C-alpha cells in the first residue's frame, strides 16, 4: 500500500480533483471528511463522464456530485488475495485502506504485483477489470 494519501474534501471542485490527479500522476482520490473518514472515491473517469461529458463546468461542480459513494475499502492487515478479489468484483484498480475509520493508504494492483506472491489472483483481477472496460 502507498501510505502517502492524496485526498480531497467533498466540497472541493472537480477541477481541483483533476489538477491533483494530474500533479500526483494518480487515477483516483479518496473523498474524505476533514477528520479523514472515507465518504467516496473520485476518479479521472468520474470527472470526464459525470462532469465534462455532461456539459458541466468542472470549476463549479463539487466532488460530492460526481464521486462514487460507498466505495470498497480494505483494512491494513487485509489478505492480499481477498483485496485482489475485491478489486475484481468491484471493477477497480485501487482500494482505500481504512484503519479505525480513517484512510491511511491506497492499495493498487501494482502494489499487489510487487509483493510477488499472488500472481494468479492479480492476473485474474486485472483481466476481469480490463474485460469489463472493453465492453463499455
Amino acid at each position: 500500500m502507498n501510505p502517502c494519501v492524496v485526498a480531497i474534501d467533498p466540497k472541493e471542485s472537480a477541477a481541483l480533483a483533476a489538477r491533483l490527479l494530474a500533479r500526483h500522476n494518480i487515477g483516483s482520490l479518496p473523498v474524505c471528511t476533514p477528520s479523514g473518514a472515507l465518504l467516496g472515491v473520485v476518479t479521472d473517469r468520474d470527472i470526464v463522464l459525470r462532469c465534462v461529458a455532461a456539459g458541466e463546468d468542472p470549476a463549479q461542480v463539487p466532488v460530492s456530485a460526481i464521486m462514487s459513494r460507498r466505495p470498497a475499502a480494505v483494512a491494513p492487515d487485509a489478505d492480499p488475495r481477498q483485496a485482489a478479489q475485491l478489486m475484481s468484483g468491484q471493477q477497480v484498480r485501487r482500494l482505500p485502506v481504512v484503519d479505525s475509520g480513517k484512510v491511511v493508504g491506497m492499495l493498487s494492483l501494482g502494489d499487489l504485483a510487487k509483493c510477488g506472491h499472488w500472481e494468479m489472483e492479480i492476473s485474474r483481477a486485472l483481466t476481469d477489470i480490463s474485460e469489463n472496460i472493453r465492453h463499455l
Side-chain angles (χ1 to χ4, degrees), residues 76-131:
D77 59 352
D79 181 277
R81 280 185 220 109
Q82 291 174 330
Q85 290 169 349
L86 185 57
M87 288 177 181
S88 176
Q90 296 291 314
Q91 299 291 298
V92 297
R93 296 173 189 253
R94 295 164 203 85
L95 290 173
V97 180
V98 178
D99 188 21
S100 300
K102 294 184 180 183
V103 176
V104 296
M106 290 293 282
L107 179 68
S108 71
L109 278 175
D111 295 330
L112 293 174
K114 288 177 191 172
C115 67
H117 293 66
W118 298 278
E119 290 88 1
M120 291 301 294
E121 290 85 354
I122 296 162
S123 176
R124 170 75 359 225
L126 184 57
T127 300
D128 290 347
I129 293 165
S130 297
E131 292 222 348

Side-chain angles (χ1 to χ4, degrees), residues 2-77:
N2 183 348
C4 298
V5 179
V6 179
I8 192 163
D9 185 281
K11 296 176 193 154
E12 295 293 348
S13 71
L16 175 60
R19 287 193 302 274
L20 288 171
L21 291 168
R23 181 179 308 140
H24 296 283
N25 193 29
I26 53 179
S28 65
L29 295 169
V31 181
C32 299
T33 65
S35 65
L38 181 65
L39 298 173
V41 171
V42 66
T43 67
D44 46 5
R45 192 165 197 271
D46 293 331
I47 295 167
V48 170
L49 296 179
R50 296 177 181 166
C51 183
V52 177
E56 301 293 335
D57 178 1
Q60 300 302 315
V61 174
V63 169
S64 62
I66 61 168
M67 70 182 188
S68 296
R69 298 176 190 281
R70 294 182 289 287
V74 294
D77 59 352

